[in-house]
Amino acid sequence: MAVGLAITCQSGQKNNGRITLYVVLSCMMAAMGGVIFGYDIGITGGVTSMEPFLNKFFHNIYLKMKEDVTVSNYCLFDSQLLTSFTSSLYVAGFFTSFLASYVTSVFGRKPSIIAGGTAFLAGTALGGAAFNVYMLIVGRLMLGVGVGFANQAVPLYLSEMALPRFRGAINNGFQLSIGIGALSANLINYGTEKIKGSYGWRVSLAMAAVPASFLTLGALFLPETPNSLIQTSQDHQKAKRILQRIRGVEDVQSELDDLTKANSSTSTKTSPQQPFKLILKRRYRPQLVTAIAIPFFQQVTGINVIAFYAPLLFRTIGLGESASLLSSVMTGITGTCSTFISMLVVDKLGRRTLFIVGGIQMFVSQCIVGGIMAFHLKDHGGLTKGYAYMVLVMICIYVAGFGWSWGPLGWLVPSEIFPLEIRSVGQSITVAVSFVFTFVVAQSFLSMLCHFKSGIFFFFGGWVVVMTVFVYFFLPETKNVPLEQMEKVWQEHWFWKRIVCEK
């Protein structure tokens, strides 16, 4: 029997429903889009630390690491070609996110998810079979197309399928999936590094086809979201049947009326070709600022350089190849567990609390890591075992802070703040900004590490302070607010109400 769930809205209406097995299975399948993203992040850092991979594609780095004793610890892996291999995915993802916005808005969330899985499969085939660095990079570009579609569509899909009361937990499943993908990649890298011969890295890259296949085939059986059905086909009866199935109750008229009203408002405000103009209007200024600020801050935490280059960083402080990969497994477990904790508490504690607590935790741990490296890691030689383990522990604490705050919430908050008429384009802006700054950080990190040395951690720590202050003053709480009622949080905010309420 359905359990009644009442959430009082401004209009006095109520949304009835419960978590159903149908929603859980659908969201688990859709969240495989996060697994392919996380797998790619984790696998890249691992294979770029494998000596057979470096010897084949980046021979100069291999020689520098093996033979050049004059090179600083901080500069061993400073190579624009190596960082281009890592960051080329995000160039493709940036441009794809705008195409994905159109596909998601006009054709629905489901076709975008299918397109993402298909493109990722093609990139996996090229990467696993690569015989030169150019083939590697073309494969990375195809992976970027896949991730661009998946990251644009999946967070929207999860937010629209979820009840408002559980939207945070369900949407955070995307970041949990990213963590599971990264952890799986770290475990596979640790295993394939031990394969005799020089093809372990090929196994690591090719194994990305497993989650990509699950996503592509599974997406064929996903239901479209009720929001998307009303927006793209005006099929209210089908939307009602889907709502009844995913809510587990017959009485869904109140929620259907909200969706219909939101879509009717969309039709009067804009044509399908005008969402980019619409989002620039004054009444959507806070959502636009948030859609740009959140993914920007998410990247300047420095998390992706830890994810991409953790094995290289651990080798920098003196750990061996196998120990570096094992250390990456430990950080992956930490990140996954902390994201799971976030799923349990985000709809109780709220978004702002987790943002602020996680920011403080990341800042303190980054300062400690930077301090240890500043005082104890010179240009030559490594850290003592005790200090190396302390750095590993502090990085795990840092990853945990990100895992229950800026990691999942960086996808959750932008996906839930937009009204229906600009939801797809708003998500595409979020994804595009994320890809741009992921590219910038990934492309520049190894060079910055070479020049800034330990100061790189204080650089990212400074940004963590800025973004925590931003959340404290400018981000309203959005927990338990239905998507179609979200505009009220900006109208009641001490700063944004001056903008959105002015005529």
Side-chain angles (χ1 to χ4, degrees), residues 172 175 334-343 345-346 350-351 353-359 361-362 396-409:
N172 280 9
Q175 180 65 31
T334 302
T336 303
C337 292
S338 60
T339 302
F340 182 73
I341 293 173
S342 179
M343 292 178 65
V345 301
V346 65
R351 284 63 160 151
T353 299
L354 291 181
F355 267 133
I356 293 170
V357 171
Q361 182 175 336
M362 287 189 290
C396 285
I397 292 174
Y398 162 80
V399 169
F402 181 87
W404 55 53
S405 63
W406 282 88
L409 301 183

Side-chain angles (χ1 to χ4, degrees), residues 456-490:
I456 190 70
F457 292 95
F458 297 105
F459 171 80
F460 288 124
W463 279 112
V464 171
V465 173
V466 173
M467 63 202 227
T468 303
V469 171
F470 172 85
V471 167
Y472 183 82
F473 286 106
F474 298 109
L475 187 69
E477 183 55 68
T478 55
K479 72 172 182 178
N480 295 344
V481 181
L483 293 179
E484 281 64 47
Q485 306 284 333
M486 193 63 70
E487 289 188 15
K488 70 178 182 179
V489 302
W490 309 105

Side-chain angles (χ1 to χ4, degrees), residues 191-261:
T192 58
E193 181 267 332
K194 300 180 183 302
I195 295 177
K196 293 182 179 180
S198 58
Y199 63 90
W201 62 269
R202 291 191 185 276
V203 176
S204 291
L205 294 179
M207 285 292 289
V210 175
S213 297
F214 274 110
L215 176 67
T216 307
L217 296 176
L220 296 174
F221 301 96
L222 288 178
E224 188 56 88
T225 69
N227 313 60
S228 182
L229 286 172
I230 292 176
Q231 184 182 31
T232 59
S233 67
Q234 298 290 318
D235 191 340
H236 292 195
Q237 287 305 310
K238 185 174 182 181
K240 183 176 182 178
R241 290 195 297 271
I242 291 293
L243 267 177
Q244 290 172 334
R245 191 170 184 183
I246 65 178
R247 299 296 182 242
V249 295
E250 293 297 317
D251 181 15
V252 295
Q253 192 60 46
S254 174
E255 185 172 1
L256 182 65
D257 289 344
D258 276 348
L259 295 179
T260 304
K261 181 179 178 181

Side-chain angles (χ1 to χ4, degrees), residues 193-405:
E193 181 267 332
K194 300 180 183 302
I195 295 177
K196 293 182 179 180
S198 58
Y199 63 90
W201 62 269
R202 291 191 185 276
V203 176
S204 291
L205 294 179
M207 285 292 289
V210 175
S213 297
F214 274 110
L215 176 67
T216 307
L217 296 176
L220 296 174
F221 301 96
L222 288 178
E224 188 56 88
T225 69
N227 313 60
S228 182
L229 286 172
I230 292 176
Q231 184 182 31
T232 59
S233 67
Q234 298 290 318
D235 191 340
H236 292 195
Q237 287 305 310
K238 185 174 182 181
K240 183 176 182 178
R241 290 195 297 271
I242 291 293
L243 267 177
Q244 290 172 334
R245 191 170 184 183
I246 65 178
R247 299 296 182 242
V249 295
E250 293 297 317
D251 181 15
V252 295
Q253 192 60 46
S254 174
E255 185 172 1
L256 182 65
D257 289 344
D258 276 348
L259 295 179
T260 304
K261 181 179 178 181
N263 186 65
S264 176
S265 176
T266 299
S267 302
T268 62
K269 289 178 181 177
T270 181
S271 68
Q273 288 74 35
Q274 293 179 321
F276 281 97
K277 292 182 180 179
L278 185 63
I279 201 172
L280 296 176
K281 291 185 177 296
R282 187 183 184 91
R283 65 176 176 269
Y284 300 128
R285 191 68 47 78
Q287 292 97 323
L288 178 61
V289 170
T290 304
I292 294 172
I294 293 293
F296 167 74
F297 287 138
Q298 189 185 51
Q299 296 314 310
V300 294
T301 59
I303 186 63
N304 274 338
V305 301
I306 298 297
F308 294 148
Y309 301 121
L312 304 185
L313 179 63
F314 292 135
R315 296 205 71 173
T316 295
I317 64 176
L319 299 179
E321 182 178 356
S322 184
S324 296
L325 293 173
L326 182 59
S327 298
S328 297
V329 172
M330 294 175 62
T331 60
I333 292 173
T334 302
T336 303
C337 292
S338 60
T339 302
F340 182 73
I341 293 173
S342 179
M343 292 178 65
L344 299 178
V345 301
V346 65
D347 291 311
K348 297 177 181 178
L349 299 181
R351 284 63 160 151
R352 281 169 47 85
T353 299
L354 291 181
F355 267 133
I356 293 170
V357 171
I360 294 171
Q361 182 175 336
M362 287 189 290
F363 172 73
V364 172
S365 55
Q366 282 176 317
C367 288
I368 294 174
V369 171
I372 292 173
M373 295 181 70
F375 287 101
H376 299 287
L377 182 64
K378 307 305 179 184
D379 285 332
H380 305 287
L383 291 174
T384 63
K385 183 176 292 187
Y387 281 120
Y389 288 144
M390 188 178 295
V391 167
L392 175 59
V393 170
M394 287 298 106
I395 288 179
C396 285
I397 292 174
Y398 162 80
V399 169
F402 181 87
W404 55 53
S405 63

Side-chain angles (χ1 to χ4, degrees), residues 159-189:
S159 286
E160 290 180 349
M161 290 288 282
L163 278 163
R165 182 180 175 183
F166 302 110
R167 187 174 60 245
I170 289 177
N171 191 281
N172 280 9
F174 183 68
Q175 180 65 31
L176 179 66
S177 298
I178 293 176
I180 291 172
L183 175 59
S184 301
N186 290 330
L187 289 168
I188 289 171
N189 279 335

